[in-house]
Amino acid sequence: MKLKRFMLSDGLYVSWAISLIATLGSLYFSEIREYIPCTYCWYQRILMYPLVILLGIAAIKKDHKIVIYTLPMTLLGMIISGYHYIIQKTSLFQETGSSCGIIPCNASYINWLNFITIPFLSFTAFTLISIILLFIWKNTSNVKA
């Protein structure tokens, strides 16, 4: 019951914080470390960056209806970042990753603990936000406005 109350009152703030950290991390890697984003990284950015604004406004207004608009973005982000991670870490789609654009999508700028890469970080952020949004949606969809 405490978790439900917390998620309904502060879940949007937590989602916003995750999207903000992911966006700042993305900008750190590209602007400070000067890692050039590959094509799939750009797709992930296109889906993550607006979440900072949308979830921030929704958190302030306590507008749980934002889930309808943001959940498809986070689920699509999970799919793209998961596929990107598979390209990096397995041989299933290696030929796809090497012909991705100027920067090959199977290249890893970071490889912390031999499994944490930038697409892994992105996948984690999209997954956490999706779980929170699904929880909010499930617990507010049967409440009449």
Side-chain angles (χ1 to χ4, degrees), residues 46-61:
I46 289 167
L47 294 167
M48 183 62 74
Y49 287 11
L51 291 176
V52 176
I53 296 167
L54 295 172
L55 292 171
I57 293 170
I60 291 168
K61 294 176 76 176

PDB file of all heavy atoms in Angstrom, residues 46-61:
ATOM      1  N   ILE A  46      16.079  10.627 -29.570  1.00  0.00           N
ATOM      2  CA  ILE A  46      14.822  11.214 -30.052  1.00  0.00           C
ATOM      3  C   ILE A  46      13.658  10.807 -29.152  1.00  0.00           C
ATOM      4  O   ILE A  46      12.732  11.584 -28.930  1.00  0.00           O
ATOM      5  CB  ILE A  46      14.559  10.807 -31.523  1.00  0.00           C
ATOM      6  CG1 ILE A  46      15.546  11.523 -32.440  1.00  0.00           C
ATOM      7  CG2 ILE A  46      13.119  11.067 -31.937  1.00  0.00           C
ATOM      8  CD1 ILE A  46      15.607  10.975 -33.861  1.00  0.00           C
ATOM      9  N   LEU A  47      13.714   9.604 -28.616  1.00  0.00           N
ATOM     10  CA  LEU A  47      12.651   9.126 -27.728  1.00  0.00           C
ATOM     11  C   LEU A  47      12.841   9.550 -26.276  1.00  0.00           C
ATOM     12  O   LEU A  47      11.863   9.708 -25.547  1.00  0.00           O
ATOM     13  CB  LEU A  47      12.549   7.599 -27.821  1.00  0.00           C
ATOM     14  CG  LEU A  47      12.083   7.085 -29.177  1.00  0.00           C
ATOM     15  CD1 LEU A  47      12.314   5.587 -29.290  1.00  0.00           C
ATOM     16  CD2 LEU A  47      10.619   7.425 -29.396  1.00  0.00           C
ATOM     17  N   MET A  48      14.090   9.743 -25.827  1.00  0.00           N
ATOM     18  CA  MET A  48      14.343  10.062 -24.418  1.00  0.00           C
ATOM     19  C   MET A  48      14.231  11.557 -24.129  1.00  0.00           C
ATOM     20  O   MET A  48      13.639  11.962 -23.124  1.00  0.00           O
ATOM     21  CB  MET A  48      15.729   9.568 -23.992  1.00  0.00           C
ATOM     22  CG  MET A  48      16.064   9.789 -22.531  1.00  0.00           C
ATOM     23  SD  MET A  48      14.985   8.925 -21.371  1.00  0.00           S
ATOM     24  CE  MET A  48      15.555   7.251 -21.566  1.00  0.00           C
ATOM     25  N   TYR A  49      14.795  12.391 -24.975  1.00  0.00           N
ATOM     26  CA  TYR A  49      14.858  13.826 -24.669  1.00  0.00           C
ATOM     27  C   TYR A  49      13.493  14.463 -24.412  1.00  0.00           C
ATOM     28  O   TYR A  49      13.347  15.228 -23.457  1.00  0.00           O
ATOM     29  CB  TYR A  49      15.591  14.579 -25.778  1.00  0.00           C
ATOM     30  CG  TYR A  49      17.094  14.363 -25.819  1.00  0.00           C
ATOM     31  CD1 TYR A  49      17.723  13.373 -25.070  1.00  0.00           C
ATOM     32  CD2 TYR A  49      17.898  15.144 -26.621  1.00  0.00           C
ATOM     33  CE1 TYR A  49      19.093  13.177 -25.121  1.00  0.00           C
ATOM     34  CE2 TYR A  49      19.274  14.965 -26.676  1.00  0.00           C
ATOM     35  CZ  TYR A  49      19.862  13.977 -25.923  1.00  0.00           C
ATOM     36  OH  TYR A  49      21.222  13.796 -25.970  1.00  0.00           O
ATOM     37  N   PRO A  50      12.465  14.184 -25.215  1.00  0.00           N
ATOM     38  CA  PRO A  50      11.158  14.805 -24.926  1.00  0.00           C
ATOM     39  C   PRO A  50      10.553  14.343 -23.601  1.00  0.00           C
ATOM     40  O   PRO A  50       9.732  15.057 -23.020  1.00  0.00           O
ATOM     41  CB  PRO A  50      10.268  14.361 -26.090  1.00  0.00           C
ATOM     42  CG  PRO A  50      11.181  13.870 -27.139  1.00  0.00           C
ATOM     43  CD  PRO A  50      12.437  13.438 -26.471  1.00  0.00           C
ATOM     44  N   LEU A  51      10.956  13.163 -23.127  1.00  0.00           N
ATOM     45  CA  LEU A  51      10.410  12.667 -21.860  1.00  0.00           C
ATOM     46  C   LEU A  51      10.754  13.596 -20.702  1.00  0.00           C
ATOM     47  O   LEU A  51       9.970  13.720 -19.757  1.00  0.00           O
ATOM     48  CB  LEU A  51      10.926  11.252 -21.573  1.00  0.00           C
ATOM     49  CG  LEU A  51      10.409  10.152 -22.495  1.00  0.00           C
ATOM     50  CD1 LEU A  51      11.082   8.824 -22.146  1.00  0.00           C
ATOM     51  CD2 LEU A  51       8.903  10.031 -22.433  1.00  0.00           C
ATOM     52  N   VAL A  52      11.905  14.248 -20.775  1.00  0.00           N
ATOM     53  CA  VAL A  52      12.295  15.173 -19.709  1.00  0.00           C
ATOM     54  C   VAL A  52      11.255  16.282 -19.588  1.00  0.00           C
ATOM     55  O   VAL A  52      10.812  16.609 -18.480  1.00  0.00           O
ATOM     56  CB  VAL A  52      13.701  15.759 -19.980  1.00  0.00           C
ATOM     57  CG1 VAL A  52      14.054  16.800 -18.931  1.00  0.00           C
ATOM     58  CG2 VAL A  52      14.748  14.662 -20.022  1.00  0.00           C
ATOM     59  N   ILE A  53      10.839  16.814 -20.702  1.00  0.00           N
ATOM     60  CA  ILE A  53       9.857  17.904 -20.692  1.00  0.00           C
ATOM     61  C   ILE A  53       8.462  17.380 -20.356  1.00  0.00           C
ATOM     62  O   ILE A  53       7.785  17.904 -19.471  1.00  0.00           O
ATOM     63  CB  ILE A  53       9.855  18.635 -22.051  1.00  0.00           C
ATOM     64  CG1 ILE A  53      11.213  19.292 -22.286  1.00  0.00           C
ATOM     65  CG2 ILE A  53       8.723  19.660 -22.118  1.00  0.00           C
ATOM     66  CD1 ILE A  53      11.445  19.763 -23.688  1.00  0.00           C
ATOM     67  N   LEU A  54       8.037  16.319 -21.049  1.00  0.00           N
ATOM     68  CA  LEU A  54       6.682  15.792 -20.846  1.00  0.00           C
ATOM     69  C   LEU A  54       6.467  15.291 -19.424  1.00  0.00           C
ATOM     70  O   LEU A  54       5.457  15.607 -18.784  1.00  0.00           O
ATOM     71  CB  LEU A  54       6.408  14.668 -21.848  1.00  0.00           C
ATOM     72  CG  LEU A  54       6.363  15.069 -23.315  1.00  0.00           C
ATOM     73  CD1 LEU A  54       6.280  13.842 -24.203  1.00  0.00           C
ATOM     74  CD2 LEU A  54       5.196  16.006 -23.573  1.00  0.00           C
ATOM     75  N   LEU A  55       7.404  14.499 -18.918  1.00  0.00           N
ATOM     76  CA  LEU A  55       7.250  13.958 -17.563  1.00  0.00           C
ATOM     77  C   LEU A  55       7.427  15.039 -16.504  1.00  0.00           C
ATOM     78  O   LEU A  55       6.786  14.988 -15.451  1.00  0.00           O
ATOM     79  CB  LEU A  55       8.226  12.812 -17.332  1.00  0.00           C
ATOM     80  CG  LEU A  55       7.947  11.544 -18.155  1.00  0.00           C
ATOM     81  CD1 LEU A  55       9.091  10.554 -18.015  1.00  0.00           C
ATOM     82  CD2 LEU A  55       6.629  10.915 -17.757  1.00  0.00           C
ATOM     83  N   GLY A  56       8.279  16.016 -16.772  1.00  0.00           N
ATOM     84  CA  GLY A  56       8.454  17.124 -15.830  1.00  0.00           C
ATOM     85  C   GLY A  56       7.186  17.931 -15.662  1.00  0.00           C
ATOM     86  O   GLY A  56       6.755  18.213 -14.543  1.00  0.00           O
ATOM     87  N   ILE A  57       6.562  18.277 -16.769  1.00  0.00           N
ATOM     88  CA  ILE A  57       5.305  19.031 -16.710  1.00  0.00           C
ATOM     89  C   ILE A  57       4.212  18.190 -16.054  1.00  0.00           C
ATOM     90  O   ILE A  57       3.465  18.675 -15.199  1.00  0.00           O
ATOM     91  CB  ILE A  57       4.881  19.493 -18.126  1.00  0.00           C
ATOM     92  CG1 ILE A  57       5.873  20.526 -18.656  1.00  0.00           C
ATOM     93  CG2 ILE A  57       3.459  20.039 -18.120  1.00  0.00           C
ATOM     94  CD1 ILE A  57       5.695  20.860 -20.123  1.00  0.00           C
ATOM     95  N   ALA A  58       4.131  16.915 -16.441  1.00  0.00           N
ATOM     96  CA  ALA A  58       3.098  16.037 -15.876  1.00  0.00           C
ATOM     97  C   ALA A  58       3.296  15.845 -14.374  1.00  0.00           C
ATOM     98  O   ALA A  58       2.318  15.785 -13.626  1.00  0.00           O
ATOM     99  CB  ALA A  58       3.120  14.690 -16.585  1.00  0.00           C
ATOM    100  N   ALA A  59       4.540  15.751 -13.923  1.00  0.00           N
ATOM    101  CA  ALA A  59       4.803  15.576 -12.492  1.00  0.00           C
ATOM    102  C   ALA A  59       4.347  16.804 -11.710  1.00  0.00           C
ATOM    103  O   ALA A  59       3.718  16.673 -10.657  1.00  0.00           O
ATOM    104  CB  ALA A  59       6.291  15.318 -12.259  1.00  0.00           C
ATOM    105  N   ILE A  60       4.642  17.974 -12.231  1.00  0.00           N
ATOM    106  CA  ILE A  60       4.238  19.207 -11.551  1.00  0.00           C
ATOM    107  C   ILE A  60       2.718  19.323 -11.499  1.00  0.00           C
ATOM    108  O   ILE A  60       2.146  19.680 -10.475  1.00  0.00           O
ATOM    109  CB  ILE A  60       4.867  20.434 -12.237  1.00  0.00           C
ATOM    110  CG1 ILE A  60       6.385  20.429 -12.003  1.00  0.00           C
ATOM    111  CG2 ILE A  60       4.238  21.726 -11.743  1.00  0.00           C
ATOM    112  CD1 ILE A  60       7.151  21.408 -12.862  1.00  0.00           C
ATOM    113  N   LYS A  61       2.069  18.979 -12.606  1.00  0.00           N
ATOM    114  CA  LYS A  61       0.611  19.080 -12.672  1.00  0.00           C
ATOM    115  C   LYS A  61      -0.100  17.859 -12.102  1.00  0.00           C
ATOM    116  O   LYS A  61      -1.323  17.852 -12.021  1.00  0.00           O
ATOM    117  CB  LYS A  61       0.181  19.283 -14.133  1.00  0.00           C
ATOM    118  CG  LYS A  61       0.650  20.608 -14.713  1.00  0.00           C
ATOM    119  CD  LYS A  61       0.288  20.729 -16.168  1.00  0.00           C
ATOM    120  CE  LYS A  61      -1.180  21.026 -16.293  1.00  0.00           C
ATOM    121  NZ  LYS A  61      -1.603  21.257 -17.678  1.00  0.00           N
TER     122      LYS A  61
END
